[in-house]
Amino acid sequence: MTDSTDIADRALDTDNEDLTEFAEQIADQVQSFLISVRDIAAQPDEDGVDEGLASLPYLLLEVSQLLLAGGRLGAFEDFVPEERFESDAGPDPDLDAMRDRLAVLFEGLDEYAEVFDPYAAPPEITVNRLSDDLTAIATDLVHGLAHYQSGRILEALWWWQFSYVSTWGAAASAVLRAIQSLIAHDRLEPAHDPETEASDRELVEVAEEVVQRR
């Protein structure tokens, strides 16, 4: 039987993990998320189709899997780059167009409330936007991907781990909760039915007449 301490040491100790394979797995998930968000943002407008709502299950899956990758990064001991200073990864891509398209796509759903720090006293409620958060997450991820694609594997892992702890981990967690809430509202709340509402109004009117006659 394996000792639980050995399992924890193996999960946290970079010396006992093939970092090349691990980095490849993280990079694959990062690329999957980036492709998915870009594809969602690039959806054409179609009359009568709520693309934002329709994309939520797809986005739920991608954000959930990205957070799994982040959890794996967070479980490791701190990655330390070989160089003291971060290598130049080149300019980050301009994702403003993607942010603007996501804002249009999620119109009416974009803003959501979030507890900034659950341990603050009292906790601070902030108003976030799905479009802003998804774009910020993508910006952090693509920066690390530039290191990875340039062969700087340890530096890529360091950046993804650091930015997960400091920024995109919290943002992705908030986005996931918002998406889960939207899906729950969509699936659990009764659909708008004008005929049912008219019938309900008639029942109320009949009931009121009965009460007045008494």
Side-chain angles (χ1 to χ4, degrees), residues 10-179:
R10 198 160 57 240
L12 296 170
D13 188 355
T14 57
D15 292 336
N16 294 319
E17 181 76 21
D18 184 344
L19 291 185
T20 300
E21 182 180 354
F22 179 69
E24 182 180 356
Q25 293 169 358
I26 300 299
D28 285 346
Q29 188 53 60
V30 164
Q31 290 174 311
S32 176
F33 175 83
L34 293 172
I35 290 170
S36 298
V37 174
R38 285 168 173 157
D39 285 349
I40 289 171
Q43 291 181 90
D45 294 320
E46 296 182 15
D47 293 337
V49 177
D50 190 341
E51 296 93 344
L53 198 59
S55 68
L56 291 179
Y58 187 32
L59 197 54
L60 177 72
L61 178 61
E62 288 298 329
V63 176
S64 297
Q65 292 182 337
L66 180 65
L67 281 169
L68 175 59
R72 297 179 68 194
L73 287 163
F76 268 89
E77 65 182 13
D78 290 347
F79 293 106
V80 180
E82 295 176 356
E83 301 294 332
R84 181 176 178 182
F85 300 102
E86 182 184 5
S87 303
D88 184 7
D92 290 333
D94 186 355
L95 300 180
D96 285 346
M98 187 180 79
R99 175 191 285 108
D100 293 343
R101 175 58 190 148
L102 287 171
V104 172
L105 189 68
F106 293 117
E107 184 177 3
L109 309 173
D110 202 17
E111 289 191 352
Y112 67 97
E114 171 65 9
V115 177
F116 179 72
D117 182 355
Y119 288 100
E124 178 186 354
I125 305 297
T126 62
V127 177
N128 297 356
R129 291 183 176 87
L130 291 173
S131 56
D132 288 344
D133 288 345
L134 288 169
T135 304
I137 294 167
T139 300
D140 278 340
L141 295 177
V142 83
H143 183 85
L145 191 61
H147 284 308
Y148 177 80
Q149 292 174 336
S150 296
R152 296 186 292 273
I153 293 176
L154 190 57
E155 199 151 11
L157 289 172
W158 163 79
W159 173 259
W160 282 327
Q161 183 188 61
F162 168 76
S163 56
Y164 165 74
V165 174
S166 61
T167 53
W168 71 260
S173 297
V175 166
L176 182 64
R177 287 191 294 274
I179 294 172

